[in-house]
Amino acid sequence: MFIDFFYKLKDAGIPVTPTSFLLLQRALENRLIMNLSDFYTASRAILVKSERHFDLFDQIFAHFFEGAELPDEQGFEIDEMARALLDQWLTDPKSVADALGVDESELSKLSPDELIEYFKKRLEEQTERHDGGSKWIGTGGTSPVGHSGTHPGGMRVGGASRNQSAVKVANERRYKDYSRSGPLTPSSMTEALKRLRNLVPAGPKDNLNVEETIYQTMKNAGEIEIVFDRSLKDRLKVILLIDNGGYSMDPHIPVVQTLFNYARSQFKDLKTYFFHNTVYDTVWEDPSRYKKPRPVIEFSRMDPETRLVFVGDASMAPYELMARDGSIYISERSGNASIEQLRFLADTFPHNVWLNPLPARMWPYTRTIGMISQIFPMYELSVDGLESAVTRLMAA
Amino acid sequence: MSVFSKTDRDGFTGGKKYVLDDELARVVNISMSLEMPLLLKGEPGTGKTMLAHAVAENLDMPLIVLNVKSSMKLVEALYQYDTLTRLNDSRFGDSARDVANIEDYIKMGKIGQAFTADRRTVLLIDEIDKADTDFQDDMLDVLDQMEFDIIEIDKTLRAKHRPVIVITSNAKKDLSDPFLGRCNFHHIAFPDPKMMRKIIRVHFPEIDSNIMEAAIDTFYRLREIDVVEKKPATRELINWIRALSADPDFRPKQLAKGEVPYLGVLFKKSQDYMAAADAGSPQRKRLF
């Protein structure tokens, strides 16, 4: 049973296993699952093993079972419409207010529940005019489920509620925030920071653990067994190079800076420099790239163990990267092509990564991204990307 | 066997300081009847550990807690061969134990205790993510087979009763796939305000509802601050409300005005504290 459902989950990219599916069958056989809500909970607990995939699961569940076993289909339809209304209200309160014929400020005082109640009442009153469809009902079905906006009254829509049918629960998409793909936002900061916490050094195993040695020696019937621990190593130095030219980068810079600043205490030293598009002879310590220039050549004097982290979209005209006078700033044209400077940095600091806020699927469309990713291992600026980047930085 | 039938739960949410939602109750029941360990994840302070206590209490089973530590070896959780005592006994020979019999010097670890117990127990394996992957995989093997070998005496110990296993993880590390494959999984979401009111009611049956509403409002507002690294959890809220109710000078109006007394109870990191202090007072007024 539910083989289609299983494969739908699999196709969507949730790592489901046949073993767990068989287990679900056992649960069904044992009559542990009596209704759709039970099935929702059970199949999620058994098949899905990470809260990251809960959101996807919810979507597929809703898609698969929508209308399949719903005694109150009428109610569900109204709910869908109400949700569409709610969505529109979030993005454009004024038009909804106009359509309902009330003042916008009055509407914003209602809580979402009250709004839906109000809306349902209106809908029941005017069933006969329903077909004509006023503007906002017409747009209803097309609006995707989701609550990205903020509601005028300042409340968040969504969240768990009791006594609903499983499809409705699934439709709420309560686990949206746990999804780990997509660019880093302030709300995923905590998760990202946990990944960054792994950026700590591990020394060689050369500290004698006396107690453990005694214990193991005893265990070994007196034959001496020496146990070593990892010695603590000095903390890491990190250089953060941020591309802060161009509007494409603007939303990401504060996030990255806050992130690394929060982790600052775990580093021995954290230096942040700025550049525009790509690195030529100089980088700047000030975000305006004017007051405090720092010649790139000086980097060669720094500790080669320093971890180098680039943050940039790596998108520019190819000549900016390849030509010897490629810089868009006349004063920077010293004769070294930018790509040479990047190679120099990559050679100086063998532990390096490039974090790109553009989604990875877009990378093949920009030539310079390909060229730069041959020099620096490139990762998406997302929680997952950061995790891989940290692993890469810590690899010996 | 069903843990949380309707009537049970009602009595249970009342006095015993644990508020359970339906979904979680279903997951617990299913895991028990499928005899699968239940893996619980969720933010700190959402009551992962408390659940095992609640299950044990409700089923009237003894609870055995294995607190996982980062340096832990699997064998420590199973049994320990007390070599030092044996050496001591062999030299001085003044104990009732038989030095020739190694079995006398095998002490059961927490998992071993759960296996050898005379009745069914609840085994809580707390913060599994602290240990390394090998530990986790090997442990799941043991829990899957319900038996382990004691190498020193070449004996296989089988579980007398299959314990109810609850495993918690703080998600610092991702657990390995084989591990996940052998557990049922549930993620405890942070309680919404409605649930939170219930929780607070259970902990403070006497509380003035003005104080409670104002405190919960402020609490959720403070949790919304983006830059905060360690968001305050239920535990912090309960302590904070305790602090507020203990203060004779406190008035719920203060919270509405944006003053937040005892901010230190909610925020334990200095950066977070500063951020919350800034955001807490709209007038950017210093609180201290």
Side-chain angles (χ1 to χ4, degrees), chain A residues 12-265:
Chain A
I14 300 177
V16 284
T17 58
T19 332
S20 55
F21 186 62
L22 289 177
L23 203 68
L24 181 64
Q25 299 300 328
R26 216 173 91 205
L28 283 164
E29 209 168 89
N30 293 355
R31 302 188 182 279
L32 294 171
I33 297 169
M34 302 311 283
N35 53 39
L36 198 57
S37 306
D38 283 353
F39 184 73
Y40 171 75
T41 326
S43 57
R44 202 185 65 192
I46 294 172
L47 297 174
V48 188
K49 306 294 182 179
S50 170
E51 71 275 16
R52 277 190 279 165
H53 300 123
F54 276 12
D55 182 42
L56 207 54
F57 177 84
D58 276 359
Q59 289 175 55
I60 291 169
F61 190 90
H63 171 75
F64 196 84
F65 291 100
E66 201 160 350
E69 266 190 66
L70 282 172
D72 59 340
E73 202 162 324
Q74 187 60 40
F76 183 66
E77 227 166 66
I78 290 182
D79 262 25
E80 273 296 275
M81 268 183 238
R83 176 178 289 288
L85 166 83
L86 211 54
D87 278 346
Q88 185 169 357
W89 177 45
L90 294 174
T91 48
D92 188 6
K94 198 168 176 315
S95 71
V96 176
D98 287 350
L100 286 171
V102 286
D103 193 36
E104 189 191 340
S105 61
E106 203 135 299
L107 201 60
S108 66
K109 282 182 204 139
L110 296 178
S111 76
D113 288 344
E114 284 168 340
L115 181 81
I116 289 184
E117 272 315 302
Y118 179 77
F119 168 66
K120 275 184 185 164
K121 234 194 302 176
R122 286 292 299 268
L123 205 64
E124 276 160 25
E125 278 168 15
Q126 36 174 273
T127 19
E128 62 282 354
R129 278 195 285 150
H130 186 99
D131 289 338
S134 42
K135 195 178 78 192
W136 41 272
I137 295 184
T139 53
T142 58
S143 172
V145 183
H147 25 227
S148 40
T150 44
H151 138 337
M155 234 166 116
R156 205 180 135 70
V157 187
S161 47
R162 313 284 147 222
N163 304 326
Q164 288 195 327
S165 85
V167 172
K168 284 182 215 163
V169 173
N171 252 333
E172 283 180 355
R173 295 191 57 193
R174 291 166 294 164
Y175 295 95
K176 214 175 148 199
D177 289 348
Y178 295 106
S179 211
R180 275 195 351 199
S181 51
L184 225 49
T185 57
S187 60
S188 49
M189 190 85 87
T190 323
E191 273 302 302
L193 201 56
K194 277 183 198 157
R195 303 297 180 285
L196 207 58
R197 289 275 186 243
N198 292 335
L199 206 56
V200 286
K205 279 195 171 185
D206 57 0
N207 263 13
L208 182 65
N209 183 337
V210 179
E211 260 180 37
E212 189 64 21
T213 302
I214 293 174
Y215 177 77
Q216 290 298 341
T217 305
M218 281 297 178
K219 236 190 136 176
N220 231 0
E223 188 78 9
I224 290 181
E225 176 95 34
I226 300 175
V227 181
F228 288 103
D229 279 346
R230 263 180 221 294
S231 62
L232 288 175
K233 229 179 156 185
D234 207 1
R235 288 169 301 161
L236 293 176
K237 296 177 195 165
V238 174
I239 296 178
L240 191 57
L241 283 164
I242 299 179
D243 174 3
N244 72 340
Y247 299 109
S248 57
M249 287 300 299
D250 280 352
H252 308 290
I253 294 166
V255 178
V256 173
Q257 272 195 294
T258 320
L259 187 63
F260 276 84
N261 273 329
Y262 257 114
R264 182 184 281 269
S265 57

Side-chain angles (χ1 to χ4, degrees), chain B residues 31 36-39 115 121-125 143 146 162-167:
Chain B
S31 307
M36 297 266 288
L38 173 62
L39 172 66
F115 281 13
T121 55
V122 176
L123 175 61
L124 168 66
I125 298 167
L143 296 182
M146 279 294 147
R162 184 178 271 268
V164 178
I165 303 166
V166 178
I167 304 171

Side-chain angles (χ1 to χ4, degrees), chain B residues 116-136:
Chain B
T116 50
D118 289 327
R119 48 194 290 216
R120 204 170 179 205
T121 55
V122 176
L123 175 61
L124 168 66
I125 298 167
D126 213 3
E127 305 191 34
I128 179 87
D129 51 308
K130 278 189 189 164
D132 57 8
T133 329
D134 288 348
F135 175 91
Q136 296 163 4

